[in-house]
Structures are given as C-alpha cells and as structure tokens.
Coordinates of all heavy atoms in Angstrom, one line a residue:
M1001 N -15.1 14.7 27.5 CA -14.0 13.9 28.1 C -14.3 12.3 28.2 O -13.4 11.5 27.9 CB -14.0 14.4 29.6 CG -12.7 13.9 30.3 SD -11.2 14.5 29.6 CE -10.1 13.4 30.5
K1002 N -15.5 12.0 28.3 CA -15.9 10.6 28.4 C -15.5 10.0 26.9 O -15.1 8.9 26.8 CB -17.3 10.5 28.7 CG -17.7 9.3 29.5 CD -19.1 9.2 30.0 CE -19.4 8.3 31.0 NZ -20.9 8.4 31.4
R1003 N -15.9 10.8 25.9 CA -15.7 10.2 24.6 C -14.2 10.2 24.4 O -13.9 9.0 23.7 CB -16.3 11.4 23.6 CG -16.1 11.0 22.2 CD -16.7 11.9 21.3 NE -18.0 11.5 21.0 CZ -19.0 12.1 20.3 NH1 -18.6 13.2 19.6 NH2 -20.1 11.5 20.1
L1004 N -13.4 10.9 24.8 CA -12.0 10.8 24.6 C -11.4 9.5 25.4 O -10.7 8.8 24.8 CB -11.3 12.0 25.3 CG -10.0 12.4 24.8 CD1 -9.9 12.8 23.4 CD2 -9.1 13.4 25.8
I1005 N -11.9 9.3 26.4 CA -11.6 8.1 27.2 C -12.0 6.8 26.4 O -11.2 5.9 26.2 CB -12.1 8.0 28.5 CG1 -11.5 9.0 29.4 CG2 -12.0 6.5 29.1 CD1 -12.1 9.3 30.7
L1006 N -13.2 6.8 25.8 CA -13.7 5.8 24.9 C -12.7 5.6 23.6 O -12.5 4.4 23.4 CB -15.0 6.1 24.5 CG -16.2 5.6 25.4 CD1 -17.6 5.9 24.8 CD2 -16.1 4.1 25.5
V1007 N -12.4 6.7 23.1 CA -11.5 6.6 21.9 C -10.2 6.0 22.3 O -9.7 5.1 21.6 CB -11.3 8.0 21.3 CG1 -10.2 7.9 20.1 CG2 -12.7 8.5 20.6
A1008 N -9.6 6.5 23.4 CA -8.4 6.1 23.8 C -8.5 4.5 24.1 O -7.6 3.7 23.7 CB -7.9 6.7 25.0
A1009 N -9.4 4.1 24.8 CA -9.7 2.7 25.1 C -10.0 1.8 23.9 O -9.3 0.8 23.8 CB -10.9 2.5 26.0
S1010 N -10.6 2.3 22.9 CA -10.8 1.4 21.7 C -9.5 1.4 20.9 O -9.2 0.3 20.4 CB -12.0 1.9 20.9 OG -11.6 3.2 20.2
L1011 N -8.7 2.4 20.8 CA -7.4 2.3 20.2 C -6.5 1.3 20.9 O -5.8 0.5 20.2 CB -6.7 3.7 20.3 CG -7.2 4.8 19.1 CD1 -6.3 6.0 19.4 CD2 -6.8 4.2 17.9
L1012 N -6.5 1.4 22.2 CA -5.7 0.5 22.8 C -6.2 -0.9 22.7 O -5.4 -1.8 22.4 CB -5.7 0.8 24.4 CG -4.8 0.0 25.3 CD1 -3.4 0.5 25.2 CD2 -5.2 0.1 26.9
F1013 N -7.5 -1.1 22.7 CA -8.0 -2.5 22.4 C -7.6 -3.0 21.0 O -7.2 -4.2 21.0 CB -9.5 -2.4 22.6 CG -10.1 -3.7 23.0 CD1 -10.0 -4.3 24.2 CD2 -10.7 -4.5 21.9 CE1 -10.4 -5.5 24.5 CE2 -11.2 -5.7 22.2 CZ -11.0 -6.3 23.4
S1014 N -7.6 -2.1 20.0 CA -7.5 -2.7 18.7 C -6.0 -3.0 18.5 O -5.5 -3.9 17.9 CB -8.0 -1.7 17.6 OG -7.2 -0.5 17.7
S1015 N -5.0 -2.2 19.3 CA -3.7 -2.5 19.1 C -3.2 -3.7 19.9 O -2.4 -4.5 19.4 CB -2.6 -1.4 19.6 OG -2.9 -1.2 20.9
V1016 N -4.0 -4.1 20.9 CA -3.8 -5.3 21.6 C -4.3 -6.5 20.6 O -3.6 -7.5 20.7 CB -4.6 -5.2 23.0 CG1 -4.6 -6.7 23.6 CG2 -3.9 -4.3 24.0
A1017 N -5.5 -6.3 20.2 CA -6.0 -7.3 19.3 C -5.0 -7.5 18.0 O -4.8 -8.8 17.7 CB -7.4 -6.9 18.8
L1018 N -4.4 -6.6 17.5 CA -3.4 -6.6 16.5 C -2.2 -7.6 17.0 O -1.8 -8.5 16.3 CB -2.9 -5.3 15.9 CG -3.7 -4.8 14.8 CD1 -3.1 -3.3 14.5 CD2 -3.7 -5.6 13.6
A1019 N -1.8 -7.2 18.2 CA -0.6 -7.9 18.7 C -0.9 -9.4 18.8 O 0.1 -10.1 18.8 CB -0.2 -7.2 20.1
F1020 N -2.1 -9.7 19.0 CA -2.4 -11.2 19.2 C -2.4 -11.8 17.7 O -2.5 -13.0 17.6 CB -3.6 -11.4 19.9 CG -3.3 -11.4 21.5 CD1 -3.8 -10.3 22.2 CD2 -2.5 -12.3 22.1 CE1 -3.5 -10.2 23.5 CE2 -2.3 -12.2 23.4 CZ -2.8 -11.1 24.2
H1021 N -2.7 -11.0 16.8 CA -3.0 -11.5 15.5 C -1.8 -12.1 14.8 O -1.8 -13.2 14.2 CB -3.6 -10.3 14.6 CG -4.2 -10.8 13.3 ND1 -3.7 -11.6 12.3 CD2 -5.6 -10.6 13.0 CE1 -4.7 -11.8 11.5 NE2 -5.7 -11.3 11.8
C1022 N -0.6 -11.5 15.0 CA 0.7 -12.0 14.4 C 0.9 -13.5 14.9 O 1.2 -14.4 14.0 CB 1.8 -11.0 14.7 SG 1.4 -9.3 14.4
P1023 N 1.0 -13.7 16.2 CA 1.2 -15.0 16.6 C 0.3 -16.0 16.1 O 0.8 -17.2 15.7 CB 1.2 -14.9 18.1 CG 1.5 -13.6 18.5 CD 0.8 -12.8 17.2
Q1024 N -1.0 -15.7 16.0 CA -1.9 -16.6 15.3 C -1.6 -17.0 13.9 O -1.7 -18.1 13.5 CB -3.3 -16.0 15.4 CG -4.1 -16.1 16.7 CD -5.4 -15.3 16.7 OE1 -5.7 -14.8 15.6 NE2 -6.0 -15.3 17.9
D1025 N -1.2 -15.8 13.1 CA -0.8 -16.1 11.7 C 0.5 -16.9 11.6 O 0.5 -17.9 10.9 CB -0.6 -14.8 11.1 CG -1.9 -14.1 10.7 OD1 -3.0 -14.6 11.0 OD2 -1.8 -12.9 10.3
M1026 N 1.4 -16.7 12.5 CA 2.6 -17.5 12.5 C 2.4 -18.8 12.8 O 2.9 -19.8 12.2 CB 3.5 -16.8 13.6 CG 4.3 -15.7 13.2 SD 5.6 -15.1 14.4 CE 4.8 -13.6 15.1
K1027 N 1.4 -19.1 13.7 CA 1.1 -20.6 14.1 C 0.4 -21.2 13.0 O 0.8 -22.4 12.6 CB 0.1 -20.4 15.4 CG -0.1 -21.8 15.9 CD -0.8 -21.6 17.3 CE -1.3 -22.8 17.9 NZ -2.8 -23.1 17.4
K1028 N -0.4 -20.6 12.1 CA -1.1 -21.0 11.0 C 0.0 -21.5 10.0 O -0.1 -22.5 9.4 CB -2.0 -20.1 10.4 CG -3.3 -20.1 11.1 CD -4.3 -19.1 10.3 CE -5.5 -18.6 11.3 NZ -6.0 -17.5 10.7
I1029 N 1.0 -20.5 9.8 CA 2.1 -20.8 8.8 C 2.9 -22.1 9.3 O 3.2 -22.9 8.5 CB 2.9 -19.5 8.6 CG1 2.2 -18.4 8.0 CG2 4.2 -20.0 7.8 CD1 2.9 -17.1 8.1
D1030 N 3.2 -22.1 10.6 CA 3.9 -23.2 11.0 C 3.4 -24.4 11.0 O 3.8 -25.6 10.6 CB 4.3 -23.0 12.5 CG 5.4 -21.8 12.7 OD1 6.0 -21.5 11.8 OD2 5.5 -21.4 13.8
E1031 N 1.9 -24.5 11.2 CA 1.1 -25.7 11.0 C 1.1 -26.2 9.7 O 1.2 -27.3 9.4 CB -0.4 -25.4 11.6 CG -0.4 -25.5 13.0 CD -1.7 -25.0 13.8 OE1 -2.6 -24.6 12.9 OE2 -1.8 -25.0 14.9
A1032 N 0.9 -25.2 8.6 CA 0.9 -25.6 7.2 C 2.2 -26.1 6.8 O 2.2 -27.0 6.1 CB 0.5 -24.3 6.4
L1033 N 3.4 -25.7 7.3 CA 4.7 -26.0 6.9 C 4.9 -27.4 7.6 O 5.4 -28.3 6.8 CB 5.7 -25.1 7.5 CG 5.9 -23.7 6.6 CD1 6.9 -22.8 7.4 CD2 6.4 -24.0 5.3
A1034 N 4.4 -27.7 8.7 CA 4.5 -29.1 9.3 C 3.9 -30.0 8.5 O 4.3 -31.3 8.6 CB 3.9 -29.0 10.8
K1035 N 2.9 -29.7 7.7 CA 2.3 -30.7 6.9 C 2.9 -30.9 5.4 O 2.3 -31.6 4.6 CB 0.9 -30.4 6.6 CG -0.2 -30.4 7.9 CD -1.5 -29.8 7.4 CE -2.3 -29.4 8.7 NZ -3.4 -28.4 8.5
N1036 N 4.1 -30.6 5.4 CA 5.0 -30.8 4.2 C 4.1 -30.4 2.9 O 3.9 -31.1 2.1 CB 5.4 -32.2 3.9 CG 6.5 -32.4 4.9 OD1 7.4 -31.7 5.0 ND2 6.5 -33.6 5.6
P1037 N 3.9 -29.0 2.7 CA 3.1 -28.5 1.6 C 3.8 -28.7 0.4 O 5.1 -28.7 0.4 CB 2.9 -27.0 2.0 CG 4.0 -26.6 2.9 CD 4.3 -27.9 3.7
K1038 N 3.1 -28.9 -0.7 CA 3.7 -29.1 -2.0 C 4.1 -27.7 -2.6 O 3.2 -27.1 -3.3 CB 2.9 -29.9 -2.9 CG 2.7 -31.3 -2.7 CD 2.0 -32.1 -3.7 CE 1.8 -33.5 -3.4 NZ 0.5 -33.9 -3.2
L1039 N 5.3 -27.2 -2.3 CA 5.7 -26.0 -2.9 C 7.0 -26.1 -3.7 O 7.7 -27.1 -3.3 CB 5.9 -25.0 -1.6 CG 4.7 -24.6 -0.7 CD1 5.3 -23.8 0.4 CD2 3.6 -23.9 -1.5
T1040 N 7.2 -25.2 -4.5 CA 8.5 -25.2 -5.2 C 9.6 -24.8 -4.1 O 9.2 -24.1 -3.1 CB 8.6 -24.3 -6.4 OG1 8.3 -23.0 -5.9 CG2 7.4 -24.7 -7.4
D1041 N 10.9 -24.9 -4.4 CA 11.9 -24.5 -3.5 C 11.9 -23.0 -3.4 O 12.2 -22.4 -2.3 CB 13.4 -24.9 -4.3 CG 13.6 -26.4 -4.0 OD1 12.8 -27.0 -3.3 OD2 14.6 -26.9 -4.6
A1042 N 11.6 -22.3 -4.5 CA 11.4 -20.9 -4.5 C 10.4 -20.4 -3.6 O 10.4 -19.5 -2.7 CB 11.2 -20.3 -5.8
Q1043 N 9.2 -21.2 -3.7 CA 8.0 -20.7 -2.8 C 8.2 -20.9 -1.4 O 8.0 -20.2 -0.5 CB 6.7 -21.5 -3.3 CG 6.1 -21.0 -4.5 CD 5.0 -21.9 -5.0 OE1 5.0 -23.1 -4.8 NE2 4.0 -21.3 -5.4
M1044 N 9.0 -22.1 -1.1 CA 9.3 -22.5 0.2 C 10.3 -21.4 0.8 O 10.1 -21.0 2.0 CB 9.9 -23.9 0.3 CG 10.2 -24.4 1.6 SD 8.7 -24.4 2.6 CE 8.4 -26.2 2.7
A1045 N 11.2 -21.0 0.0 CA 12.2 -20.0 0.5 C 11.4 -18.6 0.8 O 11.8 -18.1 1.8 CB 13.3 -19.7 -0.7
D1046 N 10.5 -18.2 0.0 CA 9.7 -17.0 0.1 C 8.7 -17.1 1.6 O 8.8 -16.2 2.3 CB 8.7 -16.9 -1.1 CG 9.4 -16.2 -2.2 OD1 10.6 -15.7 -2.0 OD2 8.8 -16.2 -3.2
V1047 N 8.3 -18.3 1.7 CA 7.4 -18.5 2.9 C 8.3 -18.3 4.1 O 7.8 -17.7 5.1 CB 6.7 -20.0 2.8 CG1 6.2 -20.2 4.3 CG2 5.7 -19.9 1.8
K1048 N 9.4 -19.0 4.1 CA 10.4 -18.9 5.3 C 10.9 -17.5 5.4 O 11.0 -17.0 6.7 CB 11.5 -19.9 5.1 CG 11.0 -21.3 5.3 CD 12.1 -22.4 5.2 CE 11.6 -23.7 5.6 NZ 12.6 -24.8 5.1
K1049 N 11.1 -16.8 4.4 CA 11.5 -15.4 4.5 C 10.5 -14.5 5.2 O 10.7 -13.8 6.0 CB 12.0 -15.0 3.1 CG 12.8 -13.6 3.0 CD 12.9 -13.0 1.8 CE 11.7 -12.4 1.1 NZ 11.9 -11.8 -0.2
Y1050 N 9.2 -14.7 4.6 CA 8.1 -13.7 5.2 C 7.8 -14.1 6.6 O 7.5 -13.3 7.4 CB 7.0 -13.9 4.3 CG 7.0 -13.4 2.8 CD1 6.7 -14.1 1.7 CD2 7.7 -12.2 2.7 CE1 6.6 -13.5 0.4 CE2 7.8 -11.7 1.2 CZ 7.2 -12.4 0.2 OH 7.5 -11.9 -1.0
R1051 N 8.0 -15.5 6.9 CA 7.6 -15.9 8.3 C 8.5 -15.3 9.2 O 8.4 -14.8 10.3 CB 7.7 -17.5 8.2 CG 7.7 -18.0 9.6 CD 6.5 -17.9 10.4 NE 6.5 -18.7 11.5 CZ 7.1 -18.3 12.8 NH1 7.9 -17.0 12.6 NH2 7.1 -19.0 13.8
A1052 N 10.0 -15.3 8.8 CA 11.0 -14.7 9.7 C 10.8 -13.1 9.8 O 10.8 -12.6 10.8 CB 12.3 -15.0 9.2
E1053 N 10.6 -12.5 8.6 CA 10.3 -11.0 8.6 C 9.2 -10.7 9.5 O 9.2 -9.7 10.2 CB 10.1 -10.5 7.2 CG 11.4 -10.4 6.4 CD 11.2 -10.0 5.0 OE1 10.1 -9.4 4.7 OE2 12.1 -10.0 4.1
G1054 N 8.2 -11.4 9.4 CA 6.8 -11.2 10.1 C 7.2 -11.2 11.5 O 6.6 -10.4 12.4
E1055 N 7.9 -12.2 12.0 CA 8.3 -12.4 13.5 C 9.0 -11.1 13.9 O 8.8 -10.6 15.0 CB 9.0 -13.7 13.7 CG 9.1 -13.9 15.1 CD 9.5 -15.3 15.5 OE1 9.7 -16.0 14.5 OE2 9.6 -15.7 16.6
E1056 N 10.0 -10.8 13.1 CA 10.8 -9.7 13.3 C 10.0 -8.2 13.5 O 10.2 -7.5 14.6 CB 11.9 -9.4 12.4 CG 13.0 -10.3 12.4 CD 13.8 -10.4 13.7 OE1 14.2 -9.3 14.1 OE2 13.9 -11.5 14.2
L1057 N 9.1 -8.2 12.5 CA 8.3 -6.8 12.6 C 7.3 -6.9 13.8 O 7.1 -6.0 14.5 CB 7.3 -6.8 11.3 CG 8.3 -6.6 10.0 CD1 7.3 -6.9 8.9 CD2 8.5 -5.1 10.0
H1058 N 6.8 -8.1 14.2 CA 6.0 -8.3 15.2 C 6.7 -7.9 16.6 O 6.3 -7.1 17.4 CB 5.4 -9.7 15.5 CG 4.7 -10.0 16.6 ND1 3.5 -9.5 17.0 CD2 5.1 -10.8 17.8 CE1 3.2 -9.9 18.3 NE2 4.1 -10.8 18.7
K1059 N 7.9 -8.4 16.8 CA 8.7 -8.1 17.9 C 9.1 -6.6 18.0 O 9.3 -6.0 19.0 CB 10.0 -8.9 17.9 CG 9.8 -10.4 18.3 CD 11.1 -11.2 18.2 CE 10.8 -12.5 18.5 NZ 12.0 -13.3 18.1
A1060 N 9.2 -6.0 16.8 CA 9.5 -4.4 16.7 C 8.2 -3.6 17.0 O 8.3 -2.5 17.0 CB 10.1 -4.1 15.3
G1061 N 7.0 -4.3 17.2 CA 5.8 -3.7 17.4 C 5.1 -3.2 16.1 O 4.2 -2.5 16.3
K1062 N 5.7 -3.5 15.0 CA 5.0 -3.1 13.9 C 4.0 -4.2 13.4 O 4.4 -5.0 12.4 CB 6.1 -2.9 12.7 CG 6.9 -1.8 13.1 CD 8.3 -1.7 12.0 CE 9.2 -0.5 12.3 NZ 10.4 -0.5 11.5
H1063 N 2.9 -4.3 13.9 CA 1.9 -5.3 13.7 C 1.2 -5.3 12.5 O 1.0 -6.4 11.8 CB 1.0 -5.4 14.9 CG 1.6 -5.4 16.2 ND1 2.4 -6.6 16.6 CD2 1.6 -4.6 17.3 CE1 2.8 -6.3 17.9 NE2 2.4 -5.2 18.3
N1064 N 1.0 -4.1 12.0 CA 0.3 -4.0 10.6 C 1.3 -4.5 9.5 O 0.8 -5.3 8.7 CB 0.0 -2.5 10.3 CG -1.3 -2.1 11.0 OD1 -2.3 -2.9 10.9 ND2 -1.3 -0.9 11.6
E1065 N 2.5 -4.2 9.6 CA 3.5 -4.7 8.7 C 3.6 -6.1 8.8 O 3.8 -6.9 7.7 CB 4.9 -4.0 8.8 CG 4.9 -2.4 8.2 CD 4.5 -1.5 9.3 OE1 3.9 -1.8 10.3 OE2 5.1 -0.4 9.3
S1066 N 3.7 -6.6 10.0 CA 3.8 -7.9 10.3 C 2.8 -8.9 9.6 O 3.0 -9.8 8.9 CB 3.9 -8.2 11.8 OG 4.0 -9.7 12.1
I1067 N 1.5 -8.3 9.9 CA 0.4 -9.1 9.4 C 0.4 -9.1 7.7 O 0.1 -10.1 7.2 CB -0.9 -8.5 10.0 CG1 -1.2 -8.8 11.4 CG2 -2.2 -8.9 9.2 CD1 -2.1 -7.9 12.1
E1068 N 0.8 -7.9 7.3 CA 1.0 -7.9 5.8 C 2.0 -8.9 5.3 O 1.7 -9.6 4.4 CB 1.4 -6.5 5.6 CG 0.8 -6.1 4.1 CD 1.1 -4.6 3.9 OE1 0.5 -3.7 4.5 OE2 2.0 -4.3 3.0
T1069 N 3.1 -8.9 6.0 CA 4.2 -9.9 5.5 C 3.8 -11.3 5.8 O 4.1 -12.1 4.9 CB 5.4 -9.5 6.3 OG1 5.8 -8.1 6.1 CG2 6.6 -10.3 5.8
L1070 N 3.2 -11.6 6.8 CA 2.8 -12.9 7.1 C 1.8 -13.3 6.1 O 1.6 -14.5 5.7 CB 2.3 -13.0 8.6 CG 3.4 -12.9 9.7 CD1 2.7 -12.8 11.1 CD2 4.3 -14.1 9.6
G1071 N 0.8 -12.4 5.8 CA -0.2 -12.6 4.8 C 0.4 -13.0 3.5 O -0.3 -13.9 2.8
K1072 N 1.5 -12.6 3.1 CA 2.1 -13.0 1.8 C 2.5 -14.5 2.0 O 2.3 -15.3 0.9 CB 3.4 -12.3 1.5 CG 3.2 -10.7 1.1 CD 4.4 -10.0 0.9 CE 4.3 -8.6 0.9 NZ 5.6 -8.0 1.0
A1073 N 3.1 -15.0 3.1 CA 3.5 -16.3 3.3 C 2.1 -17.2 3.2 O 2.1 -18.3 2.7 CB 4.2 -16.4 4.6
M1074 N 1.0 -16.6 4.0 CA -0.2 -17.4 4.0 C -0.8 -17.6 2.6 O -1.4 -18.7 2.4 CB -1.0 -16.7 4.9 CG -0.7 -16.9 6.4 SD -1.4 -15.8 7.5 CE -3.1 -16.5 7.6
K1075 N -0.7 -16.6 1.8 CA -1.2 -16.6 0.4 C -0.4 -17.7 -0.4 O -1.1 -18.4 -1.1 CB -1.0 -15.3 -0.3 CG -1.9 -15.0 -1.4 CD -1.8 -13.7 -2.0 CE -2.7 -13.4 -3.1 NZ -2.4 -12.2 -3.9
I1076 N 0.8 -17.8 -0.3 CA 1.6 -18.9 -1.0 C 1.2 -20.2 -0.4 O 1.0 -21.2 -1.2 CB 3.2 -18.8 -0.8 CG1 3.7 -17.4 -1.3 CG2 3.9 -19.8 -1.3 CD1 5.1 -16.9 -0.9
L1077 N 0.9 -20.3 0.9 CA 0.5 -21.6 1.5 C -1.1 -21.9 1.3 O -1.5 -22.9 1.8 CB 0.8 -21.7 3.0 CG 2.2 -21.8 3.3 CD1 2.5 -21.3 4.7 CD2 2.8 -23.0 3.1
N1078 N -1.8 -20.9 0.6 CA -3.2 -21.0 0.5 C -3.9 -21.2 1.8 O -4.9 -21.9 2.0 CB -3.5 -22.4 -0.3 CG -4.1 -21.9 -1.6 OD1 -4.7 -21.0 -1.7 ND2 -3.7 -22.7 -2.7
I1079 N -3.7 -20.3 2.7 CA -4.2 -20.3 4.1 C -5.0 -19.0 4.0 O -4.6 -18.0 3.7 CB -3.4 -20.1 5.3 CG1 -2.3 -21.2 5.2 CG2 -4.1 -20.2 6.7 CD1 -1.0 -20.8 6.2
Q1080 N -6.4 -19.2 4.3 CA -7.2 -17.8 4.3 C -7.3 -17.1 5.7 O -7.0 -17.7 6.7 CB -8.6 -18.2 3.9 CG -9.4 -19.1 4.7 CD -9.0 -20.6 4.3 OE1 -8.1 -20.8 3.6 NE2 -9.9 -21.5 4.7
Ligands
LIG433 CU1 2.3 -8.4 16.0

C-alpha cells in the first residue's frame, strides 16, 4: 500500500514537472525570437508554427507532445 502511494505520488510529481516544462520552453523560444535570429522565412514560419502548436498541446494537457513540438522549434533556433 505504501509503495502504491509512492508510485502515485511520483507519477503526479513527474506530470507536474512536465506541465512546467512547456512554458519554460516557450519562454526560451520567445526570448530567442526577440533577438531577431538569422533565419530564413521558411525557418521562421516553422518556428512560429511549432511554437503555436506547442502552446495548444500544452493547454490540451498533452505535455509530452508539446515538449516534442517545441523541441523542433528550439532545434531550428539552436537552443539546447
Ligand atoms: Cu505542458
């Protein structure tokens, strides 16, 4: 029983940690965009698309997909 509570607690904790991850990634993307990065128009369009999709996924509670999508934008922007 104790073990079950621990498992439940750690699951809850990791999903909370994930939920905070997306806004952090969005912030990094916004900060990078504010610095007028040297991107092609196509790259810029992709970054904005992934940024918007990531936010939608985050709001829908799909944090894993959100982080993955935001990750694509971060890769284009060269954010680690
Ligand atoms: Cu999220």
